[in-house]
Amino acid sequence: MQADDRLIVALDVPNLLDGGNIVDQLGDSVSFYKIGLGMLTGGGLALANELKQRGKRVFLDMKFFDIGATVEKAVAGIAQYDLDFLTVHGDPHVVRAAVAGRGDSATKILAVTILTSLDRSDLDVCLIKDGDIQNLVVERARNAFIAGADGVIASPQEAALIRALPEAAGKLIVTPGVRPAGAALGDQKRVATPAQAIQDGADHIVIGRPIWQATNPRKAALAVINELASA
Ligand code: C5P
């Protein structure tokens, strides 16, 4: 069976040695990896570079948020690596700066709407305006698209609402919080299966622990690919 690049495997391990080990085990079954802040000090960028040399696609999950000038410089630095996806927070000034910093590189800028770990009481403490989280997520996605984002990160439960936005035409929706039927939820609360997430309009799904913590990661990845094939 061929790798399906709708599946992105999150390498949430501390360093490039552990990450490289998982990539070796997965072999040609996986073509797309996510590297996040947890591996930044453990050689994350070096592993990202190595994966590109090996013909893989790479999603660098940095979730940048700062004044525009700083975001622009940070993104310009990352853009030299020719990675595939890079995340920033979905505030319009951040997204505009990231798009400027990306310049001519093919790196797609994905906007984080509202972190799925936050609930309404967390947003209250952050002084985020009243309203149902789902509505705020859709509004932030719309604003991020208008500011030039190539796509958004959202929970699978929000994928269909975002996909229905006129501004979402031609944009990417990438969903973490995906669990194959029967897999442990871990700390994920609002989950969907791979097939459901794709049917609801996601272009890519991000799965971490159910694959890299599996006794046989390759078998776990192939089961997801099999499910995607029938979605
Ligand atoms: O192991 P699991 O499949 O839960 O990993 C999901 C990945 O997606 C992790 O890297 C996590 O940080 C990331 N993520 C998430 N929810 C978000 C944004 C990113 O779970 N809203």
Side-chain angles (χ1 to χ4, degrees), residues 10 12 34 61 63 116 153 176-177 179 188 206-210:
D12 291 319
K34 180 170 94 70
D61 192 11
K63 297 190 180 73
T116 48
I153 309 294
R179 288 290 177 268
Q188 297 285 7
V206 177
I207 303 185
R209 289 161 290 183

Side-chain angles (χ1 to χ4, degrees), residues 9-62:
V9 173
L11 290 174
D12 291 319
V13 289
N15 58 56
L16 83 173
L17 288 179
D18 293 346
N21 188 15
I22 295 163
V23 172
D24 288 342
Q25 287 182 61
L26 290 169
D28 59 5
S29 68
V30 171
S31 55
F32 212 150
Y33 288 96
K34 180 170 94 70
I35 293 176
L37 284 170
M39 210 202 280
L40 192 61
T41 53
L45 271 177
L47 180 61
N49 213 11
E50 187 191 321
L51 290 176
K52 286 303 288 184
Q53 314 291 327
R54 288 166 70 168
K56 304 293 184 188
R57 299 183 74 196
V58 176
F59 167 4
L60 195 66
D61 192 11
M62 291 287 111

Side-chain angles (χ1 to χ4, degrees), residues 142-176:
R142 184 171 172 274
N143 290 341
F145 291 144
I146 292 170
D150 299 299
V152 292
I153 309 294
S155 100
Q157 263 92 359
E158 288 135 13
L161 289 170
I162 294 172
R163 185 47 77 209
L165 287 170
E167 292 83 0
K171 304 285 187 178
L172 295 165
I173 300 177
V174 178
T175 59

Side-chain angles (χ1 to χ4, degrees), residues 21-180:
N21 188 15
I22 295 163
V23 172
D24 288 342
Q25 287 182 61
L26 290 169
D28 59 5
S29 68
V30 171
S31 55
F32 212 150
Y33 288 96
K34 180 170 94 70
I35 293 176
L37 284 170
M39 210 202 280
L40 192 61
T41 53
L45 271 177
L47 180 61
N49 213 11
E50 187 191 321
L51 290 176
K52 286 303 288 184
Q53 314 291 327
R54 288 166 70 168
K56 304 293 184 188
R57 299 183 74 196
V58 176
F59 167 4
L60 195 66
D61 192 11
M62 291 287 111
K63 297 190 180 73
F64 285 141
F65 178 87
D66 209 317
I67 61 168
T70 302
V71 170
E72 187 173 336
K73 281 202 198 97
V75 173
I78 301 275
Q80 302 172 65
Y81 288 80
D82 264 329
L83 304 180
D84 296 278
F85 295 168
L86 172 67
T87 46
V88 300
H89 279 269
D91 305 61
H93 81 276
V94 176
V95 173
R96 279 194 297 271
V99 170
R102 174 262 311 272
D104 295 336
S105 119
T107 305
K108 295 208 182 302
I109 303 296
L110 303 185
V112 175
T113 51
I114 294 178
L115 296 171
T116 48
S117 55
L118 302 182
D119 62 18
R120 186 60 252 183
S121 63
D122 297 310
L123 299 190
D124 289 342
V125 174
C126 297
L127 307 183
I128 303 229
K129 77 171 187 180
D130 280 343
D132 176 64
I133 289 199
Q134 253 187 359
N135 295 337
L136 295 182
V137 165
V138 174
E139 205 177 326
R140 275 179 65 83
R142 184 171 172 274
N143 290 341
F145 291 144
I146 292 170
D150 299 299
V152 292
I153 309 294
S155 100
Q157 263 92 359
E158 288 135 13
L161 289 170
I162 294 172
R163 185 47 77 209
L165 287 170
E167 292 83 0
K171 304 285 187 178
L172 295 165
I173 300 177
V174 178
T175 59
V178 173
R179 288 290 177 268

